[in-house]
Amino acid sequence: MQETLAIIKPDAVKKKSVGKIIDRILQAGFIVVAAKTINLTQAQAEGFYAVHRDKPFFANLIRFMCETPIWVMILSKENAIEEYRELMGSTDPQEAASGTLRRDFAETITRNAVHGSDSRDSAYREIAFFFSESERIAAS
Ligand code: ATP
Ligand code: MG
């Protein structure tokens, strides 16, 4: 089994899509190993997306991620990182395949409903960024 870090972003929270997105995740066979809501501070959002700090969209991205509390989850499945990226669809919802979370729940390339780790290294870093061992609610 592999773990990945998933986030339901403020656009999806505002549109009351959280339940539908979690249902899709469960129907796709992922196990929720840990979950919580968190209201990111600007500093936390900047830390989480530090790799993008020099990009032109960075300020918008940080402002967006702090609009509402977000939902963060550790998901477990065989090949979880790649499979969850597939379930999410392309970064730009307009380019995301039909049946993907971003195609069905996202608005724009910034307001794109969900996040998923893009590699083993980022999954490890992102899980540690949000969760301590004692917050795990299910064996992975
Ligand atoms: P995430 O890391 O959130 O899962 P991703 O890996 O598909 O998304 P990244 O390239 O890591 O995409 O970009 C991080 C986030 O920054 C995107 O999810 C999106 O919210 C925003 N973003 C990325 N590219 C752009 C862009 N060209 N214009 C505006 N916002 C962007
Ligand atoms: Mg990314």
Side-chain angles (χ1 to χ4, degrees):
M1 292 293 228
Q2 188 178 62
E3 290 182 351
T4 192
L5 190 282
I7 300 178
I8 304 178
K9 297 184 178 182
D11 58 318
V13 173
K14 282 183 175 169
K15 292 198 311 194
K16 306 189 193 300
S17 301
V18 172
K20 287 176 217 143
I21 290 172
I22 293 174
D23 190 48
R24 294 268 194 104
I25 289 169
L26 295 174
Q27 292 302 326
F30 293 90
I31 293 165
V32 178
V33 175
K36 64 181 170 186
T37 61
I38 179 170
N39 204 341
L40 287 180
T41 63
Q42 186 175 326
Q44 282 175 310
E46 286 172 355
F48 183 75
Y49 276 126
V51 290
H52 295 304
R53 68 180 163 264
D54 296 327
K55 305 270 173 63
F57 58 79
F58 185 67
N60 276 341
L61 175 61
I62 298 311
R63 204 175 313 120
F64 163 58
M65 289 300 289
C66 297
E67 278 180 21
T68 69
I70 55 172
W71 291 60
V72 287
M73 292 175 282
I74 303 174
L75 304 180
S76 173
K77 194 182 186 208
E78 241 172 70
N79 204 21
I81 295 168
E82 198 181 320
E83 293 224 351
Y84 185 63
R85 296 285 296 187
E86 264 174 43
L87 181 65
M88 286 198 303
S90 300
T91 308
D92 184 349
Q94 313 245 19
E95 288 170 14
S98 62
T100 61
L101 297 175
R102 282 170 168 163
R103 176 67 171 265
D104 293 344
F105 297 105
E107 300 167 29
T108 66
I109 195 167
T110 296
R111 307 178 74 83
N112 62 359
V114 284
H115 161 83
S117 308
D118 63 9
S119 66
R120 281 165 182 265
D121 284 353
S122 49
Y124 186 81
R125 180 185 77 81
E126 291 172 5
I127 287 169
F129 186 92
F130 284 113
F131 290 100
S132 62
E133 282 301 310
S134 63
E135 289 177 291
R136 287 166 179 267
I137 55 177
S140 57

